[in-house]
Amino acid sequence: MSEPPPPISSSAMDPFEFLKIKINPGGSLTRTYVFPMVPPSPTPPISEPSLSVDIPLNAAANTSLRLFLPHPPPAEKLPLLLYFHGGGFILYHPSSLIFHRSCATLAASLPAVIASVDYRLCPEHRLPAAYDDALDALLWAQAQARDPDQAHPWLRDHVDFTKCFLMGSSAGGNIAYFAALRALDRDLSPLKIQGIVMNIPYFSGSHRSDSELRLVDDRILPLPANDLMWALSLPEGADRDHVYCNPTAAEAAHADKIGQLPACFINGYGGDPLVDKQKEFVKILEARGVRVEKRFVEDGYHGVEIFDQAKALALTQNIKNFILSVISQSSL
């Protein structure tokens, strides 16, 4: 597995250098991080546990999906997971090595068909653009369910559209949450969203949490880098108490809708600067009557499953247990 970066001191750090980004005169980013991009593997033989293929989503927005199908696929129809990758809204794609591998492994392990969304990145397309793209993905899935003759064969032959889940890690967890809220305003039948999986969901606020202060020099998500990613992602002029960032503000804006959300699984770690906000988010959901399954363990940090195989296996098993539990209860 990859090694996490060494510890740093926030007092001396340059968040632009840390994130390997540069702001261009027009407001776009030059991203200089070195992270391998992986092509899809649509046909056997493959060295991965799942086949994968890229398909367009919204041509006008230049968005796409990377589909993952377990190989060989089971005989029974599978759940559909719409997956949103992490990267602070500003970095990475479904083809980035860490997210391609994790989706290929997760699809085979659950098993499920996964559609990983290549949503538009900030600051070129500030929020809510990624939420718009997430809704496009939901409408695409609905269209696949409604018209099997026009559906992609992997979905037509292998997906049970009444067993759809939204999933995201870090910024992707935030996207999954707001996508689910938007979905409440739509009739997506015959697609049915059964649950939301949020791994280390990305939230913050203008007031520093205890975990942010305690982990100000975190080697994965130091506070200056965290602040910069939000500054590049939120609508122009907004601060970190904006509804997209602060779960308390989101509760005030969406009070009546939150209680209508499906079951949620939230995973977090004691060594993550975001852990206090994640726990605050859990309390908000529970107070509104949402069924929440939460897993917070002390020995871990933001994105630890990328570097620690044991943590990755534990997360996969917990997600699998959650999905099986939700499906079992829905069939009663």
Side-chain angles (χ1 to χ4, degrees):
M1 300 294 284
S2 303
E3 292 296 327
I8 56 172
S9 171
S10 63
S11 61
M13 80 161 295
D14 177 352
F16 290 92
E17 171 60 26
F18 178 82
L19 295 168
K20 305 299 182 189
I21 60 173
K22 181 179 72 172
I23 297 183
N24 301 317
S28 64
L29 285 187
T30 295
R31 298 164 174 87
T32 60
Y33 60 84
V34 179
F35 224 102
M37 307 285 272
V38 182
S41 301
T43 57
I46 55 172
S47 60
E48 300 173 329
S50 299
L51 300 173
S52 54
V53 66
D54 292 337
I55 62 172
L57 178 58
N58 182 329
N62 195 30
T63 54
S64 61
L65 302 162
R66 178 162 289 191
L67 302 183
F68 295 86
L69 174 70
H71 179 69
E76 71 273 10
K77 292 290 184 81
L78 302 175
L80 173 65
L81 262 68
L82 293 182
Y83 180 85
F84 307 95
H85 65 80
F89 302 108
I90 69 169
L91 302 173
Y92 308 128
H93 298 278
S95 58
S96 299
L97 179 64
I98 52 173
F99 299 114
H100 174 90
R101 279 186 176 173
S102 63
C103 284
T105 301
L106 186 64
S109 299
L110 291 177
V113 173
I114 294 180
S116 183
V117 183
D118 196 7
Y119 56 85
R120 288 170 291 174
L121 298 179
C122 304
E124 293 87 349
H125 306 279
R126 289 178 176 264
L127 297 175
Y131 306 151
D132 296 340
D133 299 340
L135 182 59
D136 280 348
L138 280 166
L139 295 175
W140 164 84
Q142 180 190 34
Q144 299 285 303
R146 282 185 168 177
D147 190 355
D149 291 339
Q150 298 297 318
H152 190 281
W154 289 5
L155 279 80
R156 181 191 64 223
D157 298 339
H158 300 292
V159 164
D160 181 343
F161 289 99
T162 68
K163 299 173 182 176
C164 178
F165 291 80
L166 305 181
M167 179 180 171
S169 291
S170 194
N174 175 297
I175 295 170
Y177 175 57
F178 284 101
L181 287 171
R182 287 190 173 200
L184 295 172
D185 297 326
R186 300 277 184 152
D187 177 8
L188 293 173
S189 60
L191 189 74
K192 183 176 181 182
I193 301 174
Q194 296 264 15
I196 317 168
V197 176
M198 291 171 277
N199 177 43
I200 51 172
Y202 194 46
F203 295 105
S204 189
S206 293
H207 179 74
R208 303 298 192 194
S209 69
D210 288 345
S211 58
E212 285 177 328
L213 294 174
R214 174 170 53 88
L215 297 163
V216 63
D217 294 331
D218 183 64
R219 59 183 176 172
I220 300 293
L221 195 61
L223 202 55
N226 183 44
D227 290 353
L228 177 59
M229 288 190 289
W230 279 116
L232 293 171
S233 301
L234 290 169
E236 292 279 5
D239 63 21
R240 292 190 307 280
D241 285 330
H242 190 276
V243 61
Y244 300 155
C245 178
N246 191 327
T248 302
E251 180 187 26
H254 300 290
D256 296 334
K257 293 172 66 174
I258 291 174
Q260 303 172 48
L261 289 171
C264 294
F265 173 80
I266 298 173
N267 185 69
Y269 303 100
D272 184 349
L274 307 184
V275 69
D276 285 354
K277 278 295 176 185
Q278 292 160 0
K279 291 179 177 179
E280 176 185 318
F281 176 55
V282 166
K283 289 179 180 179
I284 289 169
L285 295 178
E286 291 177 333
R288 294 285 173 179
V290 179
R291 174 192 164 189
V292 179
E293 185 172 324
K294 53 188 181 289
R295 291 285 186 276
F296 289 100
V297 295
E298 286 306 310
D299 61 327
Y301 48 86
H302 194 80
V304 64
E305 69 280 352
I306 297 171
F307 309 102
D308 185 326
Q309 183 67 19
K311 286 289 192 294
L313 290 172
L315 176 60
T316 297
Q317 188 60 53
N318 287 332
I319 292 170
K320 182 173 185 175
N321 292 344
F322 169 74
I323 289 175
L324 291 174
S325 171
V326 169
I327 291 174
S328 175
Q329 291 202 8
S330 71
S331 63
L332 295 178

